[in-house]
């Protein structure tokens, strides 16, 4: 019987999952579902002015698909999207992909040991049901835009555009533009919008730590070397990796060395703010009051200068109360600001990444031999979104959740990085998942499901890792779930992550069935 795989998402995670699955299971049937009309994932959606990656391009590419043609040290959104489309074309992803198709429901069938995948398309809204042995969810944490709850926003008569759903039909030239948020997307978009807007007003809840960005282009000579001497590009990638992973010691406060390193970096950043923001009030407002790294650090050589521009007004700590008639933004202090366009740089719904489709697992009473003991009250099958919030998002090896057999999450809880490229954990997780499936099948197991005890040990391991790190200091950041639990970041170095994930899976941590 042919083994079947369902892969959800055609971004970097989905493409990598398909490529690796084909390599390890060459006879398997793989179907990839993608809601948009092509490959690209988050880089297909994120097209706002100035959109780029804040990880060096040669580390922000798949290890098995190096790109010697990167033009810049930090690639922009069109370049990354073009890279993804080339990878998709090379591996003939179009032969197995179902574009413009949205998965609406996953439901586990215990007797069949399979997932029922329900989907719809733009052309045929009637749901289609198909069955798969394994599901790899690679839709990623950055795909559901987060919209602020502002009274009157729906009545605003001008354009309202989210950075994750950019509209090319919106005109900013000569307009009064309001940007809500000062995270990574705002740091990139604000400088570009300032160039054309009549006036800018930026609403800030927390200042971001802005680092100098070592921007430069790769010469034709360097590209030739990388193209004809692959080892040279490989060594350059390793150098970038080691230099970025070294930053981990800035965020760990256990040693004298880490404290001295943090002090050195802090001096650099404060000097950078001082040199780029001449307005004393704005300089104070753009200097964060929380430890370096407690929130995402964003490199930019132009954001602070754009904030310092006389046409830019920075409002910090004065939240928006409502939007009144005539497109006037009213703050809690009573400040009234007329604007023409509102840009929402408010990020993503990290905890509710499965809000667009339901994932229903098995009940705790269902057993491996499909025997369901009689109960007075029927037990409802769990939904992954509910399980994620009880008490917080968690998964064994950041990929497997008890009661959801044969379902694997790429970039699940605590797999993101605060100091390096997310493609590294993405690739490590995928290799671990496929090794786990391979070893389980060789052991005669029809399903792969982590035990609650294994997940508990894993989360205790992560909890210990956060001790004495800066990532545990600011519990109001988006790293946390609102209950004081950091559910997004990996608390160790990436080198240590490689050691953990490259070990062969221990089948004792999984249900024997």
């Amino acid at each position: 019987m042919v083994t079947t795989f369902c892969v959800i998402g055609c971004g970097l995670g989905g493409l990598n999952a398909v490529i690796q699955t084909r390599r390890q299971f060459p006879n398997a049937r793989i179907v990839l579902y993608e809601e948009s009309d092509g490959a690209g994932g988050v880089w297909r959606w994120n097209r706002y002015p100035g959109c780029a990656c804040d990880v060096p391009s040669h580390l922000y590419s798949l290890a098995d698909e190096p790109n010697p043609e990167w033009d810049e040290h930090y690639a922009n959104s069109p370049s990354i999207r073009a890279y993804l489309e080339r990878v998709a074309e090379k591996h003939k992803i179009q032969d197995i992909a179902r574009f413009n198709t949205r998965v609406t429901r996953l439901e586990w069938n215990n007797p069949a040991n399979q997932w029922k995948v329900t989907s719809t398309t733009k052309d045929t809204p009637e749901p289609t049901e198909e069955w798969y042995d394994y599901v790899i969810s690679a839709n990623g944490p950055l795909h559901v835009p987060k919209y602020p709850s502002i009274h009157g926003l729906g009545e605003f008569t001008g354009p309202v555009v989210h950075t994750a759903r950019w509209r090319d039909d919106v005109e900013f030239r000569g307009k009064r533009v309001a940007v809500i948020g000062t995270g990574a997307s705002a740091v990139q978009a604000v400088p570009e919008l300032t160039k054309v807007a009549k006036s800018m007003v930026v609403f800030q809840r927390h200042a971001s730590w802005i680092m100098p960005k070592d921007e430069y282009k790769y010469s034709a000579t360097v590209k030739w070397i990388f193209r004809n001497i692959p080892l040279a590009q490989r060594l350059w990638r390793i150098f970038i990796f080691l230099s970025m992973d070294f930053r981990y010691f800035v965020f760990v406060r256990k040693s004298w060395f880490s404290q001295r390193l943090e002090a050195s970096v802090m001096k650099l950043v404060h000097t950078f703010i001082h040199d780029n923001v001449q307005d004393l009030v704005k300089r104070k407002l753009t200097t964060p009051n929380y430890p370096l790294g407690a929130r995402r650090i964003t490199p930019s050589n132009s954001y602070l200068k754009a904030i310092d521009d006389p046409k830019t007004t920075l409002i910090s700590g004065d939240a928006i109360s409502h939007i009144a008639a005539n497109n006037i933004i009213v703050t809690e202090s009573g400040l009234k600001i007329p604007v023409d366009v509102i840009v929402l740089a408010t990020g993503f719904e990290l905890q509710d990444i499965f809000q667009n489709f339901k994932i229903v697992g098995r009940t705790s009473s269902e057993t491996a031999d499909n025997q369901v003991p009689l109960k007075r009250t029927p037990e409802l099958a769990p939904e992954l979104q509910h399980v994620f919030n009880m008490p917080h998002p968690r998964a064994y090896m950041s990929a497997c959740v008890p009661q959801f057999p044969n379902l694997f999450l790429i970039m699940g809880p605590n797999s993101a990085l605060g100091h390096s490229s997310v493609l590294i954990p993405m690739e490590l997780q995928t290799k671990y998942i496929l090794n786990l499936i391979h070893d389980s099948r060789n052991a005669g197991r029809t399903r792969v499901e982590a035990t609650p005890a294994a997940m508990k040990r894993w989360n205790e391991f992560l909890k210990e890792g956060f001790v004495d790190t800066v990532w545990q200091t600011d519990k109001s950041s988006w790293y946390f779930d609102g209950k004081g639990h950091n559910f997004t970041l990996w608390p160790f170095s990436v080198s240590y992550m490689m050691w953990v994930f490259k070990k062969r899976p221990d089948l004792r941590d999984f249900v024997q069935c």
Side-chain angles (χ1 to χ4, degrees), residues 154-314:
E155 284 72 50
F156 185 80
T157 60
V160 177
V161 56
H162 197 289
T163 51
R165 294 294 183 269
W166 197 254
R167 291 170 49 191
D168 295 324
D169 62 325
V170 176
E171 178 60 66
F172 292 92
R173 187 171 300 277
K175 303 294 184 180
R176 299 168 297 180
V177 180
V179 177
I180 301 175
T182 52
S185 57
V187 168
Q188 295 180 343
V190 165
E192 299 302 313
L193 295 175
T194 303
K195 295 176 182 179
V196 298
K198 177 182 179 181
S199 65
M200 292 281 295
V201 56
V202 178
F203 290 90
Q204 169 182 280
R205 186 169 55 176
H206 302 280
S208 295
W209 283 111
I210 308 297
M211 296 281 290
K213 190 174 184 179
D214 50 338
E215 297 178 289
Y216 54 85
K217 294 181 178 295
Y218 288 105
S219 67
T221 302
V222 171
K223 291 181 184 179
W224 184 93
I225 293 173
F226 286 160
R227 191 184 311 117
N228 293 279
I229 311 176
L231 178 60
Q233 185 181 12
R234 180 66 177 169
L235 291 174
W236 178 234
R237 178 185 172 96
I238 292 173
F239 173 78
I240 296 173
F241 164 75
L242 292 175
S243 63
M244 294 197 73
D245 205 26
F246 182 74
R247 299 178 186 179
Y248 169 74
F249 296 103
V250 177
F251 309 125
V252 181
R253 300 175 164 185
K254 293 182 179 180
S255 68
W256 170 86
F257 173 75
S258 294
Q259 293 172 6
R260 290 294 299 269
L261 187 62
E262 180 188 14
S264 176
V265 175
M266 287 291 289
K267 182 178 179 181
L268 169 68
V269 175
H270 279 290
T271 300
F272 187 64
I273 296 173
H274 182 276
D275 292 345
N276 284 274
V277 185
Q278 306 305 314
D279 186 297
L280 296 182
V281 175
K282 289 182 178 179
R283 184 185 297 171
K284 182 177 180 180
L285 294 178
T286 52
T287 303
N289 58 2
Y290 54 86
L292 181 71
R295 292 171 177 269
R296 183 180 178 87
I297 299 174
T298 304
S300 175
N301 295 329
S302 55
Y303 174 73
L304 293 175
K305 293 177 181 178
I307 293 295
D308 197 44
D309 192 304
K311 73 164 67 171
T312 302
T313 301
L314 179 62

